[in-house]
Amino acid sequence: MPQSRAKLPAGQKGRTEPSATPTRAPGGRGNDALQQRLAAAGQLVSGAVTGAGDMAQRLTRRGTGDVQREGTLTEPVSRRAVPMDQALAEAKASKEPLGAWIMKRYAHTPKGESTTAATDTTLRFFAPGLNTPEPEASRRTEHYATTLGQPMLHLHNGTNLDAKVPFADKLDYATAAVNRMGVGTTPLMDSIVTLLEAALTGADPQDVHAILYSDSTIAGSRAIATVRQQMITKRVRGGASRESAEATTDALLEKHLFVEMHGNVVGDLPKGPRYMLWADEKDDLTHGELGGSETGLSGRNKDADANAQYVDYNGPFGGADAHNLAASGVYAVRETWAANGVSSSQELFEKGEAGKGVRVPEKTSGNPAKLWNPRNDPNWGKSKK
């Protein structure tokens, strides 16, 4: 079944970003940068890494509602929280392939055109950023599914906004900083590990498409690193050499795991998967200069050894909304697909990897109705005749 094609708006110009070999030295200095930023914001993370981790883990379980949903899937109709273990057990009992069953049961589907083939059984999930409780979080996932024409699971990132303690609105940031430092785990990270293990380590590995936004790029990258290490260790214990185990594991991850990141705040990417990183050129959270390094990765701050393609785009909004996936980022994706004659980010990745270059529109569009701050709309406040 042929896939539908995204169309570039009439008159839209573009530029071509050639594929390039990453030149940034490894080291993950962005981890330190994010730690400094988030610690300063709420003054909730300080001192030694272990002490900070203990403090934040104590504070960030104080929410009375939404945080208890972290790491669960949101059922599209009832909006109820479904534990990952429960969903995977249901899929196993069904005797159907994991990806096909769980997407049929729990995916939020596009309202309108589809850019995926009817036979596509890719296990595709979206994990959101901070400070977004249900049901708004899954409503945004439905917006992404419809805009991109792709069904996707909503894997919830719980918020502590309802915690009855001082600085409740800063607790999510403290958790993010601690997670970035590699201290302990979070329910979101644990669920991603569980899902990837089920999909990738069985006798019949499933294709997985992980779409990670903002804070979830931290949990997602740590989860991928955990699963990769577990796969390597299992092969070594089975008698394989370390070199052979790494090569076999990375080949499997490259074939079956495709990761898209939006507004990322990661300093390093685990080897193995294919990555596509989208970043608005005005997004201060990804491009923030702290500690002599950028907070996240982009075309100007590439990972040294990951199999990654980068799309840096010029979105329509400034300020915090340059980081806004609902108002801007998803439109950059569709318009970049159209500019390159493809219908998916996987196809776009293949074009870049083949050295053909990725054409990026000079300026992408957006949806002012999805803005966090209406004043960031250049037409806000102007009379409409």
Side-chain angles (χ1 to χ4, degrees):
M1 182 177 183
Q3 296 180 330
S4 59
R5 298 285 178 180
K7 296 181 179 180
L8 188 69
Q12 179 70 71
K13 298 180 180 179
R15 67 180 188 277
T16 299
E17 292 192 351
S19 300
T21 302
T23 57
R24 186 181 67 85
R29 291 177 297 169
N31 294 355
D32 297 330
L34 185 65
Q35 177 185 340
Q36 293 171 27
R37 167 176 283 192
L38 299 182
Q43 297 195 351
L44 295 171
V45 180
S46 61
V49 170
T50 301
D54 179 68
M55 179 176 64
Q57 292 296 341
R58 289 171 184 269
L59 286 172
T60 56
R61 297 299 98 194
R62 297 288 292 277
T64 59
D66 192 80
V67 73
Q68 305 303 324
R69 295 184 64 136
E70 181 170 332
T72 64
L73 297 175
T74 296
E75 200 280 330
V77 177
S78 68
R79 303 290 174 173
R80 66 186 176 90
V82 181
M84 182 61 69
D85 287 340
Q86 176 185 323
L88 295 175
E90 292 171 352
K92 184 176 181 180
S94 75
K95 307 299 183 182
E96 293 184 41
L98 172 65
W101 189 90
I102 203 167
M103 291 297 289
K104 179 171 62 179
R105 178 68 183 86
Y106 290 116
H108 298 251
T109 56
K111 294 177 174 61
E113 77 161 325
S114 174
T115 58
T116 60
T119 55
D120 179 38
T121 59
T122 299
L123 201 168
R124 182 179 297 103
F125 70 90
F126 174 78
L130 300 178
N131 294 339
T132 312
E134 283 286 8
E136 175 59 25
S138 58
R139 279 201 294 263
R140 293 185 191 180
T141 297
E142 290 179 346
H143 169 59
Y144 307 141
T146 294
T147 305
L148 298 177
Q150 298 177 334
M152 59 186 71
L153 307 171
H154 176 84
L155 182 52
H156 193 54
N157 187 4
T159 177
N160 289 276
L161 286 176
D162 60 355
K164 305 303 182 183
V165 295
F167 302 110
D169 60 331
K170 303 297 191 300
L171 291 179
D172 291 356
Y173 296 99
T175 303
V178 173
N179 194 14
R180 184 65 177 271
M181 291 185 286
V183 178
T185 66
T186 65
L188 177 61
M189 178 182 166
D190 292 341
S191 282
I192 295 175
V193 168
T194 300
L195 181 60
L196 294 181
E197 285 177 335
L200 300 172
T201 63
D204 182 25
Q206 306 286 292
D207 289 337
V208 180
H209 180 184
I211 307 175
L212 309 172
Y213 169 54
S214 193
D215 173 60
S216 291
T217 63
I218 304 173
S221 58
R222 284 194 61 203
I224 293 166
T226 297
V227 172
R228 177 180 182 269
Q229 186 57 53
Q230 290 173 347
M231 295 169 72
I232 291 171
T233 299
K234 182 177 180 179
R235 287 181 167 87
V236 170
R237 289 176 177 170
S241 68
R242 179 78 185 186
E243 182 179 7
S244 172
E246 289 183 357
T248 302
T249 296
D250 289 344
L252 185 147
L253 292 173
E254 181 179 11
K255 179 179 180 181
H256 292 289
L257 179 56
F258 181 72
V259 183
E260 279 190 272
M261 292 186 174
H262 296 273
N264 78 86
V265 282
V266 294
D268 192 32
L269 299 173
K271 287 185 180 180
R274 293 159 291 147
Y275 295 94
M276 175 152 281
L277 279 69
W278 301 83
D280 192 309
E281 294 170 351
K282 298 186 290 293
D283 182 355
D284 287 339
L285 195 56
T286 293
H287 300 300
E289 290 286 347
L290 287 172
S293 171
E294 291 199 22
T295 310
L297 298 169
S298 66
R300 67 190 188 194
N301 184 40
K302 297 182 179 181
D303 189 278
D305 53 11
N307 185 11
Q309 296 290 323
Y310 302 84
V311 180
D312 294 350
Y313 59 90
N314 179 19
F317 308 118
D321 280 301
H323 187 73
N324 188 328
L325 182 59
S328 178
V330 288
Y331 300 98
V333 174
R334 283 304 302 260
E335 290 164 22
T336 304
W337 289 357
N340 291 273
V342 301
S343 299
S344 70
S345 292
Q346 288 92 327
E347 289 181 83
L348 192 66
F349 177 93
E350 292 168 4
K351 181 179 180 183
E353 189 175 43
K356 298 179 181 178
V358 172
R359 184 168 178 258
V360 183
E362 291 290 349
K363 187 167 187 175
T364 58
S365 68
N367 183 353
K370 302 293 183 180
L371 288 171
W372 295 324
N373 181 356
R375 290 172 175 79
N376 288 333
D377 175 7
N379 296 313
W380 186 86
K382 293 182 180 179
S383 61
K384 294 180 173 57
K385 298 180 180 180

